[in-house]
Amino acid sequence: EVQQAANALKSLGVGQGDRVAIYMPMVPEVAIAMLACARLGAAHSVVFSGFPATALADRINDAEAKVLITADGGYRKGSFFELKTIADEAMEKSPTITASLVYRRRQPGTPGETAMKAGRDHWWQDLVPAQSADCPADPMPAEQLLFLLYTSGSTGKPKGIRHSTAGYSIFTAFTARMTFDLRPGTGQVYFCTADIGWITGHSYVVYGLLSNGATVFIYEGAPNHPEPDRFWEMIDRHGLTILYTAPTAIRAFMRWGDNYVLRHRLDSLRLLGSVGEPINPEAWMWYHTMIGKKRCPIVDTWWQTETGSIMITPLPGITPTKPGSGTRPFFGVVPK
């Protein structure tokens, strides 16, 4: 489907050096869209699906994106949220957009209609499957722009971070393999809870993991719907082996109570990770005891949108860990 999606983008006039904006919920097609862009040498700019039309338009215009890949909407806490109406508002303020590719997520029986503008908007389900599944990847220079991703940084005003094809890809692949002790072909299933709209989703849902041949699990919705044990239920049901989540989520699970955890075995887990902010020792110990059952190493990782990959982390089974400490810099990183 990646190659079909790449050919669909070609049919919409996208080629090497162009920019494509992506504004989608957490469905597999968001990763497929990213990889289709990379296959063509077109830089993608993924915008978190919770952002309003003004933020989407700002990022489209800054990137001078030619095509917007979006969806009619998505599901959260049992309700369908509209995305295409927000995308339409943004595209009215984005003169560089010549076409949009819209993934149909609305399930039969969900009320509402999606307006499509003739000549500009194309349904993913109509255009992509009709394409050839043969689209060889174009070789790219090492410094070819792979993607733009916006971060507030130190000023609060969004700034576009540029990551190149070779350096980013190599470092995400290497950090993913070493930090998460990846062993392709051994039945591992990796679960990073981050949205692909953030750098964690780019690096440790899509590029770093898939380049290692890892099996990646993604989910749509909220961690407390239909009940606050959703993560633990999914881990048991799907036999997930690696969990990478944020201290904010861990503290929320603590507030919701141990009973939701104790309903589940969690015996498939063998490695835990933390990302996004410093983790306080109390949360680290709860994660270690309640989720890891005192047998799973915890990799507490520090890095940024700007670095693109993990900079400080323990290596599981090698680095002595201390609750609340990111421990040592990764290979080649010299903190100053």
Side-chain angles (χ1 to χ4, degrees):
E1 195 173 355
V2 169
Q3 299 193 60
Q4 288 178 303
N7 281 325
L9 289 174
K10 277 185 179 181
S11 75
L12 298 177
V14 175
Q16 185 173 338
D18 287 330
R19 313 282 176 83
V20 175
I22 301 174
Y23 183 62
M24 298 181 76
M26 281 292 284
V27 291
E29 285 72 17
V30 66
I32 290 167
M34 294 165 66
L35 296 171
C37 293
R39 200 164 192 84
L40 299 178
H44 57 71
S45 174
V46 180
V47 182
F48 173 55
S49 61
F51 281 169
T54 50
L56 175 58
D58 286 347
R59 286 157 175 77
I60 290 173
N61 291 330
D62 188 68
E64 298 182 346
K66 190 172 186 177
V67 169
L68 172 64
I69 304 176
T70 187
D72 53 1
Y75 289 89
R76 187 173 178 85
K77 294 191 174 181
S79 299
F80 186 79
F81 61 89
E82 301 284 346
L83 272 184
K84 180 60 164 49
T85 52
I86 300 171
D88 285 340
E89 184 182 341
M91 285 190 283
E92 292 302 316
K93 303 171 185 175
S94 306
T96 59
I97 292 291
T98 59
S100 77
L101 187 57
V102 185
Y103 179 73
R104 186 185 287 109
R105 181 71 184 94
R106 192 190 307 270
Q107 297 298 296
T110 303
E113 296 289 336
T114 302
M116 299 288 281
K117 185 174 180 179
R120 184 194 69 182
D121 300 340
H122 307 267
W123 285 113
W124 177 292
Q125 282 87 342
D126 293 338
L127 187 61
V128 173
Q131 305 298 315
S132 165
D134 182 22
C135 182
D138 290 337
M140 297 297 151
E143 293 301 312
Q144 174 81 15
L145 178 63
L146 179 62
F147 68 84
L148 287 162
L149 189 61
Y150 291 80
T151 179
S152 58
S154 57
T155 63
K157 180 178 172 58
K159 293 182 284 293
I161 304 300
R162 299 166 57 96
H163 281 296
S164 63
T165 297
Y168 171 83
S169 300
I170 292 167
F171 203 48
T172 52
F174 187 44
T175 51
R177 189 177 75 196
M178 300 302 294
T179 303
F180 302 113
D181 187 25
L182 297 178
R183 303 174 191 174
T186 59
Q188 293 183 95
V189 186
Y190 170 94
F191 178 26
C192 173
T193 67
D195 192 284
I196 288 179
W198 309 117
I199 189 63
T200 303
H202 280 53
S203 299
Y204 300 111
V205 175
V206 181
Y207 289 109
L209 273 292
L210 297 183
S211 60
N212 277 287
T215 299
V216 178
F217 178 89
I218 65 172
Y219 85 111
E220 180 187 32
N224 60 345
H225 182 83
E227 292 195 65
D229 66 341
R230 184 174 182 193
F231 277 14
W232 323 129
E233 188 276 331
M234 291 190 297
I235 288 168
D236 276 0
R237 175 156 46 104
H238 297 285
L240 309 184
T241 57
I242 300 170
L243 174 65
Y244 193 36
T245 194
T248 298
I250 295 166
R251 287 190 287 269
F253 299 138
M254 293 171 67
R255 288 195 305 273
W256 294 335
D258 294 352
N259 287 338
Y260 288 108
V261 182
L262 295 173
R263 294 177 183 178
H264 305 281
R265 301 186 313 275
L266 305 182
D267 54 3
S268 62
L269 288 173
R270 70 171 191 82
L271 179 65
L272 304 175
S274 171
V275 61
E277 61 189 291
I279 184 169
N280 55 303
E282 182 187 11
W284 194 101
M285 287 303 301
W286 185 89
Y287 199 29
H288 173 63
T289 303
M290 289 301 300
I291 309 306
K293 311 301 182 187
K294 298 184 179 180
R295 58 178 175 73
C296 296
I298 296 176
V299 287
D300 176 11
T301 64
W302 181 89
W303 56 294
Q304 299 171 298
T305 307
E306 290 84 347
T307 69
S309 299
I310 291 165
M311 306 295 279
I312 298 174
T313 182
L315 298 181
I318 297 174
T319 310
T321 54
K322 176 183 176 182
S325 170
T327 69
R328 302 283 182 176
F330 193 78
F331 306 131
V333 176
V334 181
K336 191 171 182 180

